[in-house]
Amino acid sequence: MREINCHEEKIHLCGNIQSFGYLFIFEDDKCIGVSENCAAIAGEEYSAMLGMTVDDVLHRIVPSFELRGENINQAVSDSMFARYADRVTILQNDYFLSLYKYDGKIYLEIEACNPLAVKTTKLYYYAKHLDDRSSGNSCWQALTELIKDIIHYDRVMVYRFLEDNSGQVIAESKSADLESLMNYRYPEFDIPAQARELYRIFHARHTADVSAEAIPLMGRSADDLDLTRCSLRALSPMHLEYLKNAGVKASASFSIIVDDELWGLVACQNREPMHVDLSQRHLCTFLTQYAVNNYLADFQKKQVKVQKNLSQLKHDLKSDLLVKRDLYDVLEKYAVRIMEVMNGQGLIIKRDRAIMMVGEVPDKKMLREIDKKIATAEFFATDRFKCDGPSEDVEMYPGVLRISILPANNWYLYVFRKERLIEETWAGKPEKVMQVDEDRKITFPSPRSSFEAWKKITKGKAEKWQSSELAFIENITQIIQQAVAQRGGEIDELNKKLVRSNNALDTFGYTLTHDLKNPLTTIQLTAQMLLHKKDISGELLAKSMKNILEGTQLMRDMMDKVYQMSKVNHVDFVFEPINPQSKIVNIVENCKQQYKVPHLEFIMGETLPVLGERTLIYQLFLNLVGNAIKYSSKRQNPQVSVKSMRQGNKVRYDIKDNGIGIDLKDGDKIFEIFSRMSNTEGFEGSGVGLSIVKQIASKLNAAIHVESELDVGTSFSVVFKDVPEPDRMHLVS
């Protein structure tokens, strides 16, 4: 006897539609499939409709319909509006008519309208409700409230898919007399794989009446009529039985798509039959996507905050490791911060026979058992650790992470998580029950009949390690290893670095003594004049004081900029693959506000990944893109573009503007510190930006080139060398 699973059911080739609509399918402009109930609106039996053209069918059903011939093909082929929809009157009743192309065929759907039309004037208020966080509700809770208001169903839930493909209700709006299903879990097999795929492709599905008879399609066989994108498609008998068992007589669902993947569903249920028409479904689909955008914006804000804190911790740790001699003391100082970032309850740093413990950690017996079981693995992490040792802590710490800091010296870092008892409420016991069909000699899953709350308690597990946490601890370990390698380097290399640093200091010293002469001379002459001149007028005194203040401010600004530039020269940076796209976008948005150019036309081409250090990459584009925006900000139509291209093993970035331009008669003088062109008067700055760019380009082993024409614009090119192909790099942004 063969077993048939739910995922084997070809639900997109069911050959049936629901009773509230009518369907016509055309191939090569001939009707090849039609719903058996078509006579109700066409006045002809289905057999007479087969073979008709699209024009013939439309003229028979809606004589006044405006689209004809090629206009129909154009309407359904438009990439922006792939589905044409309109409200029409047929036999004095209102219907929605929609046309679309799929699988090389044209589909004509006609469905009944609801008496209460959707009020598009409320769209603004719907969006405001989703944006409002003052009530403390999530965007998903707000979404359930809006959709319940639009379709008037008894229950609207947001159902999120989890890592194991089961689901959980995370938001709910319901009628007062219904019991809440908030936080209830549902097993994976409640929504089989092929159904999830259809939800991912087509984002709105509903069943007006689970007990209504399905209308068969006539003409071609069901296997030739793909109803993947058909709003009228009848549901699987298994799913209809499932809904009946749950006490549901009408249902609707709207897909929550995040990064082109099915993140969850807005699941709607009603205790009585109720049709959700096309206008309601379109509005609910739009609001669902709007809620997705809100969710992603909130998620991004949290990620930025987390990354900022992590970057600060890594920066502080790196600085201390490079300066302080005892690495073990440095690790002890940062142990608590590392443990908190890892969401651990305890941390151990072990070096040979020395051991440092922070927080709640297992005893030494369990530690020996862990080392014995993990053996020589350099990186190990689990949320279900078990060992057979004598320790009393074996079951208390199932969350174990160990990473090797210095294998040769037996340096290890451990992070522990205690057991977390997890109590889950499931909508019915999550188990498959099989039915037997003796006639066909098959067994198949029976739709669940029990949805009563069933509690499950999970023991022996800790909270799962997140991929971001594992990446962080690996990064911390690399920082420590790099510091050790750097501290253990040859004295000769240190001497070379010292010579380079001294040369840089000599350059800065010369720059200061040379370029600060002018403001210092101005201050000196003004002070001498005030000292020797008698009967000074108030006007002259004010002017003199102003000269002194301006001179001191200029000197202060120059020294601040020199300090900024000095920071670029004394740190060794670790290169990693980086795509600068997000950094460039942030720079553009900030500079548009800083230089008051909201009307800037910014063109972003392809951004290829390069090898570099994220801080230097940011500074490089900050100066180049910032200058481009600043010096084109006074144009009537300011334009800035950034694009990249691969040239063999090199990647070239071009930053172009239509600003004031640069006089290039003195060549590389524009890259000298404090060098400003004569046409930059009226723009803020002190001539340090391009000098910083030159220094950074040198650090990044990149070449920089400039082309410019006065009063036309400027183009900077930065060529990054020895850049591997993207598929050989693990990118960071």
Side-chain angles (χ1 to χ4, degrees):
M1 187 169 291
R2 193 167 73 91
E3 180 178 311
I4 302 293
N5 288 314
C6 291
H7 66 264
E8 297 180 82
E9 190 180 10
K10 298 180 180 180
I11 55 178
H12 62 301
L13 303 177
C14 64
N16 293 295
I17 66 168
Q18 297 182 61
S19 59
F20 60 81
Y22 310 88
L23 179 63
F24 301 83
I25 304 175
F26 301 88
E27 187 174 50
D28 298 327
D29 203 29
K30 300 292 183 184
C31 182
I32 61 168
V34 58
S35 58
E36 192 180 42
N37 61 350
C38 67
I41 57 169
E44 295 277 2
E45 293 298 325
Y46 70 84
S47 56
M49 308 299 290
L50 291 171
M52 283 190 178
T53 66
V54 180
D55 271 355
D56 291 339
V57 172
L58 286 171
H59 182 71
R60 183 175 296 276
I61 297 172
V62 193
S64 60
F65 193 65
E66 59 182 17
L67 292 183
R68 288 289 185 267
E70 283 304 312
N71 290 332
I72 294 175
N73 279 316
Q74 184 177 352
V76 299
S77 299
D78 191 315
S79 60
M80 184 177 294
F81 303 108
R83 182 182 287 253
Y84 173 90
D86 199 1
R87 193 181 181 109
V88 298
T89 300
I90 303 172
L91 300 178
Q92 299 181 342
N93 292 314
D94 289 336
Y95 292 88
F96 280 111
L97 180 151
S98 59
L99 281 160
Y100 58 94
K101 185 176 287 187
Y102 180 66
D103 192 32
K105 303 175 181 66
I106 290 179
Y107 290 71
L108 167 61
E109 294 183 23
I110 298 172
E111 64 172 85
C113 293
N114 274 345
L116 295 176
V118 167
K119 295 181 180 179
T120 55
T121 53
K122 296 178 69 175
L123 187 57
Y124 171 78
Y125 300 100
Y126 287 149
K128 291 290 288 182
H129 186 68
L130 285 171
D131 292 335
D132 184 17
R133 297 290 188 277
S134 60
S135 64
N137 286 341
S138 68
C139 62
W140 303 124
Q141 182 59 37
L143 180 63
T144 64
E145 294 165 2
L146 292 180
I147 290 182
K148 190 173 188 308
D149 180 68
I150 293 166
I151 68 175
H152 311 294
Y153 268 33
D154 293 323
R155 190 195 305 272
V156 177
M157 304 174 288
V158 168
Y159 173 92
R160 179 176 183 175
F161 294 117
L162 305 180
E163 286 187 2
D164 62 357
N165 286 328
S166 66
Q168 185 173 27
V169 177
I170 62 170
E172 178 188 49
S173 292
K174 63 180 184 64
S175 299
D177 60 330
L178 284 177
E179 186 176 333
S180 176
L181 298 180
M182 187 68 176
N183 295 321
Y184 271 41
R185 295 283 303 279
Y186 289 81
E188 175 186 3
F189 53 78
D190 272 14
I191 305 178
Q194 85 279 32
R196 294 177 192 231
E197 180 61 15
L198 288 186
Y199 283 128
R200 190 186 67 83
I201 296 172
F202 193 59
H203 301 165
R205 292 289 306 135
H206 94 294
T207 303
D209 185 351
V210 299
S211 299
E213 290 291 331
I215 307 299
L217 291 176
M218 314 306 293
R220 293 268 186 92
S221 69
D223 288 343
D224 292 333
L225 302 176
D226 190 336
L227 303 184
T228 294
R229 293 188 177 274
C230 181
S231 301
L232 306 175
R233 176 174 61 83
L235 266 66
S236 154
M238 286 187 187
H239 187 59
L240 290 174
E241 188 66 27
Y242 175 92
L243 293 173
K244 291 175 184 177
N245 292 343
V248 175
K249 293 187 178 179
S251 75
S253 58
F254 306 98
S255 304
I256 300 175
I257 305 295
V258 176
D259 293 333
D260 201 36
E261 294 296 329
L262 185 64
W263 184 92
L265 292 172
V266 182
C268 314
Q269 300 174 347
N270 205 57
R271 288 170 289 184
E272 295 298 329
M274 184 179 291
H275 176 45
V276 178
D277 72 18
L278 187 66
S279 63
Q280 292 172 304
R281 299 198 303 273
H282 279 185
L283 179 55
C284 292
T285 302
F286 171 80
L287 292 175
T288 300
Q289 188 55 49
Y290 191 88
V292 167
N293 294 339
N294 273 357
Y295 164 77
L296 290 175
D298 289 345
F299 179 78
Q300 187 63 31
K301 287 178 184 176
K302 293 176 184 176
Q303 289 297 104
V304 168
K305 186 176 180 180
V306 169
Q307 287 303 317
K308 185 178 180 180
N309 293 335
L310 294 183
S311 297
Q312 187 62 51
L313 188 156
K314 288 187 283 190
H315 176 271
D316 293 346
L317 175 61
K318 185 186 294 186
S319 299
D320 279 1
L321 286 170
L322 291 175
V323 173
K324 298 182 179 179
R325 298 193 62 80
D326 193 326
L327 300 180
Y328 197 69
D329 285 349
V330 174
L331 293 182
E332 185 174 6
K333 173 184 174 182
Y334 285 91
V336 172
R337 288 174 68 182
I338 293 172
M339 181 183 72
E340 289 173 348
V341 171
M342 292 296 296
N343 292 309
Q345 281 81 53
L347 179 144
I348 289 178
I349 297 175
K350 192 174 76 168
R351 179 184 63 172
D352 293 325
R353 297 180 181 179
I355 186 168
M356 178 183 67
M357 299 183 176
V358 178
E360 299 181 70
V361 297
D363 60 25
K364 291 183 180 180
K365 291 181 180 179
M366 181 177 175
L367 198 60
R368 286 194 293 271
E369 286 293 325
I370 291 173
D371 288 337
K372 180 180 177 181
K373 193 162 186 178
I374 297 176
T376 58
E378 291 192 7
F379 190 22
F380 175 86
T382 181
D383 59 349
R384 298 185 181 188
F385 188 84
K386 290 184 178 180
C387 62
D388 302 323
S391 169
E392 296 178 358
D393 292 337
V394 169
E395 298 301 327
M396 287 182 61
Y397 296 93
V400 175
L401 180 148
R402 190 189 79 173
I403 189 164
S404 174
I405 300 177
L406 293 174
N409 294 359
N410 290 319
W411 271 42
Y412 292 99
L413 187 152
Y414 305 76
V415 184
F416 299 96
R417 285 179 177 170
K418 299 181 73 172
E419 181 183 47
R420 180 186 174 197
L421 294 179
I422 302 173
E423 182 175 294
E424 299 170 328
T425 302
W426 291 75
K429 191 173 182 179
E431 61 181 2
K432 280 187 179 181
V433 177
M434 304 301 291
Q435 285 187 357
V436 177
D437 187 326
E438 295 290 352
D439 295 334
R440 293 190 292 165
K441 302 299 181 184
I442 61 171
T443 62
F444 59 92
S446 172
R448 285 204 297 132
S449 58
S450 172
F451 293 87
E452 291 183 6
W454 182 81
K455 292 188 181 296
K456 175 185 176 184
I457 297 177
T458 303
K459 296 182 179 180
K461 279 186 63 176
E463 187 174 341
K464 187 174 181 180
W465 303 103
Q466 301 298 314
S467 58
S468 58
E469 295 166 344
L470 301 180
F472 167 76
I473 202 67
E474 285 188 294
N475 197 226
I476 289 293
T477 304
Q478 289 169 6
I479 290 172
I480 298 169
Q481 291 169 347
Q482 289 160 6
V484 171
Q486 189 167 339
R487 294 283 292 276
E490 295 180 355
I491 298 298
D492 182 54
E493 182 59 29
L494 293 176
N495 288 335
K496 289 178 182 178
K497 292 178 181 178
L498 184 60
V499 170
R500 288 198 295 269
S501 296
N502 287 336
N503 289 338
L505 288 174
D506 289 344
T507 301
F508 292 138
Y510 173 78
T511 300
L512 284 173
T513 56
H514 181 272
D515 288 86
L516 292 180
K517 284 181 181 178
N518 285 341
L520 192 58
T521 301
T522 299
I523 293 171
Q524 183 181 15
L525 292 175
T526 304
Q528 288 175 348
M529 184 272 292
L530 291 175
L531 182 64
H532 297 294
K533 190 174 181 65
K534 298 180 179 179
D535 301 325
I536 300 175
S537 67
E539 182 180 354
L540 179 59
L541 181 62
K543 183 177 180 181
S544 300
M545 291 298 101
K546 182 180 179 183
N547 288 340
I548 291 174
L549 289 174
E550 287 180 349
T552 55
Q553 184 61 48
L554 178 59
M555 293 172 67
R556 184 181 294 110
D557 289 345
M558 285 185 177
M559 287 186 286
D560 285 345
K561 294 297 182 180
V562 168
Y563 173 68
Q564 290 178 22
M565 186 160 178
S566 71
K567 292 194 295 184
V568 177
N569 285 277
H570 70 66
V571 178
D572 285 327
F573 296 96
V574 179
F575 283 15
E576 56 189 341
I578 295 173
N579 189 321
Q581 182 182 49
S582 62
K583 293 177 173 58
I584 294 170
V585 171
N586 288 338
I587 290 167
V588 170
E589 291 304 314
N590 291 335
C591 289
K592 282 169 65 176
Q593 297 181 29
Q594 181 180 351
Y595 301 118
K596 298 179 175 58
V597 276
H599 57 299
L600 172 75
E601 180 184 354
F602 176 67
I603 301 169
M604 171 80 84
E606 184 181 16
T607 58
L608 297 172
V610 298
L611 284 179
E613 198 279 335
R614 64 177 65 201
T615 304
L616 292 185
I617 292 291
Y618 180 82
Q619 283 184 271
L620 180 75
F621 283 105
L622 176 65
N623 280 283
L624 290 177
V625 177
N627 276 355
I629 295 174
K630 176 169 68 175
Y631 290 120
S632 59
S633 62
K634 296 183 180 181
R635 294 292 196 191
Q636 185 175 358
N637 297 304
Q639 296 177 346
V640 172
S641 67
V642 177
K643 64 179 181 180
S644 67
M645 65 190 73
R646 177 168 281 278
Q647 299 174 332
N649 67 339
K650 302 175 182 178
V651 169
R652 170 177 163 179
Y653 268 81
D654 293 328
I655 299 93
K656 188 174 182 180
D657 65 68
N658 66 341
I660 61 176
I662 303 173
D663 186 354
L664 296 178
K665 64 181 180 182
D666 292 326
D668 286 342
K669 183 180 178 182
I670 65 170
F671 294 106
E672 293 179 6
I673 191 169
F674 301 137
S675 177
R676 299 202 78 202
M677 302 297 104
S678 59
N679 63 338
T680 60
E681 187 175 349
F683 293 87
E684 66 179 56
S686 56
V688 170
L690 289 182
S691 178
I692 292 176
V693 166
K694 186 74 172 178
Q695 294 289 333
I696 290 174
S698 176
K699 282 283 184 183
L700 294 173
N701 191 30
I704 188 163
H705 177 71
V706 58
E707 294 180 0
S708 187
E709 185 176 348
L710 285 173
D711 207 41
V712 174
T714 301
S715 177
F716 280 91
S717 298
V718 184
V719 179
F720 298 88
K721 303 173 184 177
D722 300 322
V723 181
E725 293 291 340
D727 59 356
R728 297 175 57 193
M729 296 194 288
H730 179 66
L731 291 182
V732 296
S733 58

